[in-house]
Amino acid sequence: MGEMTDKIKGHTNEAIGKAKRAAGEALDRPDIKAEGDAQEAKGDLQKAKGAAKGAVKDVVDKA
């Protein structure tokens, strides 16, 4: 995947994770809250992966 794809998927997973976490809290469902926390963390990692790809690309382009 490319830099932008990773970042977009990361933002999407982060948003869905936040919604799941909020739903889990509202419904008093720790299992749903945990799913949301995990999905939000996955989104954070995807965004970081996209940023890293961008940084590597910038370094290569400058070389």
Side-chain angles (χ1 to χ4, degrees), residues 3 7 47-58:
E3 171 189 357
K7 287 182 180 180
K47 289 190 308 184
K49 181 180 174 184
K53 284 182 180 180
V56 169
K57 183 178 181 301
D58 288 345

Side-chain angles (χ1 to χ4, degrees), residues 8-60:
I8 291 167
K9 285 186 175 190
H11 283 289
T12 302
N13 275 316
E14 184 179 34
I16 293 169
K18 285 181 181 184
K20 281 184 181 179
R21 183 178 49 180
E25 288 175 357
L27 298 172
D28 195 26
R29 294 277 310 269
D31 56 325
I32 295 173
K33 183 179 180 284
E35 280 182 34
D37 288 339
Q39 191 160 3
E40 189 174 353
K42 178 181 177 180
D44 289 338
L45 289 173
Q46 284 174 315
K47 289 190 308 184
K49 181 180 174 184
K53 284 182 180 180
V56 169
K57 183 178 181 301
D58 288 345
V59 169
V60 170

